């Protein structure tokens, strides 16, 4: 019998966290109302410090409200339980302490039978480390994860929670930002979209935005022109391109249209930027997971600099939709996906079945509990998909 469960959300925000917390609470209330529920504050940080919120009867009664909000009511942080040096530096463990053991001991102290982790590949690979430690040391606890990432880059999960909403939000963000094209002559606008290694979000946002462009009515006689509102280039990490050739193409397009609109995945130019920084003897800023800190290297600004002088831009604007997109409440598609996954997560927890819930691409897209040792980050976006190559052909951009 599952007497007590704990929830935590970790990593960056996505438009599913609040709803996933609400869905888990609702499912437990329906199936096992006597099960106590706590929520560790700020993810693994709260687990290490033993800081948590208690899900009271009042919270259970109004858990449906959580589906209406973005962000995470219980808080997130980026903590890797195997990065001892970083944890000591942050004061989360002391010298000589082992984070995995401290986390496991805290779970035992709190009387937790099931831990639900809601996060992306880093969160769930950290959960995998914890689950392996628990099993090796015979801790009586089940870990069940839920896949959250707006990048949609978790192997082997077909669709991550919150990704579709984030793409929809990024497209809506672009509708306002790209309206700025007429605020100056020869205007270059770079819409920088989140996506460190995977271009799915950028491509999906571009697709949704272009659907709006193609379905809208225009009045070019008064300057309301589809070609000035359209996307003129999409750059993702998986799709290589020749910078000089693209600059020549965009220069000709600037002469014809009068402005250039670019959708850029923030990871598209990172290798080039890092190489330049290292060759210049500069230190490359990285986070606790070893990732390049993209907000500090500013890929959008780098692309804007590289293109602006080559295409004769008189005004340059770089706008990032990431925080706007990732903190939104879940859309209808994601709400349905969240419910299906939270329902199964609770069912698996009550059966004592660990793993990460998701549609398994290596098993006919079946919704199931996927073993932690099969979970990995870094899934690449398939740039050969018909809808993506078709989009690029429509805007006159060469395909690889």
């Amino acid at each position: 019998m599952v007497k007590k469960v704990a929830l935590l959300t970790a990593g960056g925000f996505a438009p599913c966290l609040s709803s996933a917390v609400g869905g888990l609470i609702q499912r437990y209330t329906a199936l096992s109302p006597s099960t106590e529920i706590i929520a560790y504050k700020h993810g693994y940080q709260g687990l290490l410090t033993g800081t948590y919120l208690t899900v009271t009867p009042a919270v259970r009664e109004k858990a449906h409200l959580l589906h209406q909000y973005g962000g995470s009511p219980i808080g997130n942080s980026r903590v890797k339980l195997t990065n001892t040096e970083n944890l000591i530096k942050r004061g989360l463990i002391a010298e000589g302490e082992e984070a995995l053991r401290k986390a496991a001991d805290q779970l035992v102290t709190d009387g937790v039978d099931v831990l639900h982790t809601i996060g992306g590949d880093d969160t769930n690979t950290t959960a995998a480390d914890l689950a392996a430690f628990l099993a090796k040391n015979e801790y009586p606890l089940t870990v069940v994860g839920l896949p959250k990432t707006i990048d949609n880059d978790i192997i082997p999960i077909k669709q991550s929670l919150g990704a579709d909403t984030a793409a929809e939000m990024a497209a809506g963000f672009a509708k306002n930002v790209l309206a700025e094209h007429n605020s100056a002559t020869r205007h270059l606008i770079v819409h920088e979209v989140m996506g460190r290694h995977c271009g799915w979000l950028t491509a999906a946002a571009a697709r949704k935005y272009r659907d709006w462009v193609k379905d809208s009515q225009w009045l070019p006689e008064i300057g309301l022109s589809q070609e000035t509102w359209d996307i003129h280039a999409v750059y993702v990490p998986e799709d290589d391109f020749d910078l000089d050739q693209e600059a020549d193409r965009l220069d000709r397009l600037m002469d014809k249209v009068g402005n250039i609109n670019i959708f850029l995945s923030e990871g598209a130019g990172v290798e080039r930027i890092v190489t330049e920084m290292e060759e210049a003897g500069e230190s490359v800023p990285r986070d606790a997971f070893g990732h390049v800190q993209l907000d500090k290297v500013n890929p959008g600004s780098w692309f804007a600099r590289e293109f602006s002088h080559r295409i004769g831009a008189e005004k340059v604007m770089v706008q990032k939709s990431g925080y706007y997109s990732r903190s939104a409440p879940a859309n209808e598609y994601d709400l349905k996906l969240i419910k299906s996954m939270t329902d199964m997560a609770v069912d698996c927890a009550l059966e004592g079945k660990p793993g990460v819930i998701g549609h398994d691409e290596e098993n006919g897209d079946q919704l199931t509990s996927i073993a932690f040792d099969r979970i990995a980050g870094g899934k690449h976006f398939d740039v050969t998909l018909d809808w993506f190559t078709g989009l690029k052909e429509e805007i006159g951009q060469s395909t690889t």
Side-chain angles (χ1 to χ4, degrees), residues 127-181:
D129 293 333
L130 180 57
F133 181 89
L134 293 167
K136 180 180 179 181
N137 293 276
E138 299 183 349
Y139 282 77
L141 188 138
T142 302
V143 182
V144 181
L146 287 168
K148 171 273 328 171
T149 170
I150 61 176
D151 297 341
N152 197 29
D153 64 347
I154 303 176
I155 299 170
I157 292 171
K158 183 177 181 61
Q159 185 72 22
S160 301
L161 299 178
D164 187 77
T165 302
E168 184 177 287
M169 291 296 107
F173 179 91
K175 291 178 186 179
N176 288 1
V177 168
L178 299 191
E180 287 279 338
H181 69 269

Side-chain angles (χ1 to χ4, degrees), residues 109-129:
T109 297
D110 294 336
V112 174
D113 301 305
V114 173
L115 174 65
H116 286 286
T117 59
I118 311 167
D121 60 289
D122 285 334
T123 299
N124 284 308
T125 51
T126 296
D129 293 333

Side-chain angles (χ1 to χ4, degrees), residues 316-385:
V316 179
M317 177 185 292
V318 179
Q319 292 292 314
K320 303 179 181 184
S321 60
Y323 293 108
Y324 175 83
S325 300
R326 78 177 198 171
S327 297
N331 65 12
E332 184 177 349
Y333 173 91
D334 271 318
L335 286 173
K336 292 179 180 178
L337 189 62
I338 291 165
K339 186 179 189 315
S340 67
M341 289 194 187
T342 53
D343 282 358
M344 178 169 282
V346 173
D347 294 346
C348 288
L350 294 175
E351 296 170 7
K353 186 177 181 180
V356 179
I357 307 303
H359 293 87
D360 188 347
E361 289 187 307
E362 298 170 2
N363 189 24
D365 294 338
Q366 178 183 355
L367 180 61
T368 187
S369 176
I370 303 169
F372 277 105
D373 61 8
R374 293 183 55 214
I375 299 297
K379 182 174 74 173
H380 293 301
F381 169 60
D382 184 0
V383 296
T384 67
L385 289 172

